[in-house]
Amino acid sequence: QVLDGGYQSAVAEGFPVTRESTVPKKTSPYPVREFRLPLAGMTDVDSARQNPGAMVVDVRDSDRFNGIKEPIDLIAGHIPGAVNIPFATNLNSEGKFLSPDELRSKYQQAFGEITARQVIVHCGSGVTACHTLLALDYAGMEIPHLYVGSWSEWSRNDNPLEPERK
């Protein structure tokens, strides 16, 4: 489950919070053993980035995408052919998801005729890309592929980069 708006929203809504450490009660093991949504690897991304009928979506902020700054990885930039749709644009000014209608409109416009099966979403290390997958599901859209390795894996291997390596 996800708390829309995060911790600040929980506090604002009056959820009980504490600074005390708590130990979770033991329950039965978590029932999920594997990720069951579509995944993509480097080869899939390389094919998709060169295919006009596919789309690679980078959800990092635009400064990271454009190679202006890179606080985590060794190399700044993006996968050539990728489009930038920062995950933060899924949120309103209060940090909550846009309405399903707003998200659907935004992504339908971005994807055009490209189906979710031809879309690969990634970020820096695979975490915030899941935020966009959740936003798409919340909008009632099919969930595209997740490239878990993301920019961290792509940029550390012998792959093309934008801007080009110097």
Side-chain angles (χ1 to χ4, degrees):
Q1 299 215 356
V2 175
L3 178 60
D4 191 11
Y7 178 77
Q8 296 83 355
S9 182
V11 171
E13 295 289 329
F15 282 86
V17 296
T18 182
R19 291 182 183 266
E20 301 294 318
S21 293
T22 59
V23 177
K25 295 178 185 175
K26 283 211 174 229
T27 61
S28 59
Y30 189 69
V32 177
R33 299 194 193 294
E34 63 189 55
F35 192 78
R36 295 186 179 189
L37 297 174
L39 295 173
M42 274 194 297
T43 304
D44 303 311
V45 172
D46 194 39
S47 294
R49 73 178 188 84
Q50 299 176 74
N51 178 354
M55 181 180 287
V56 176
V57 177
D58 185 327
V59 304
R60 297 174 301 150
D61 71 61
S62 59
D63 280 353
R64 289 182 72 192
F65 178 83
N66 290 320
I68 297 169
K69 69 174 184 174
E70 182 46 64
I72 298 168
D73 291 301
L74 301 174
I75 300 169
H78 65 270
I79 297 170
V83 299
N84 187 220
I85 307 174
F87 81 92
T89 65
N90 295 328
L91 305 173
N92 65 22
S93 61
E94 297 170 352
K96 293 188 175 189
F97 274 114
L98 299 174
S99 74
D101 288 341
E102 291 171 303
L103 289 167
R104 189 177 319 103
S105 175
K106 167 185 154 173
Y107 283 104
Q108 284 174 339
Q109 181 177 0
F111 295 167
E113 299 297 318
I114 299 172
T115 67
R117 291 190 174 117
Q118 297 301 318
V119 174
I120 299 173
V121 178
H122 80 92
C123 55
S125 60
V127 178
T128 55
C130 292
H131 185 281
T132 292
L133 299 182
L134 182 60
L136 289 163
D137 184 62
Y138 182 55
M141 298 177 71
E142 188 176 350
I143 298 175
H145 291 78
L146 170 65
Y147 173 35
V148 177
S150 291
W151 178 248
S152 291
E153 178 182 61
W154 184 270
S155 64
R156 282 179 169 80
N157 287 279
D158 191 24
N159 292 308
L161 306 173
E162 284 290 328
E164 291 183 31
R165 289 185 182 145
K166 296 181 181 185

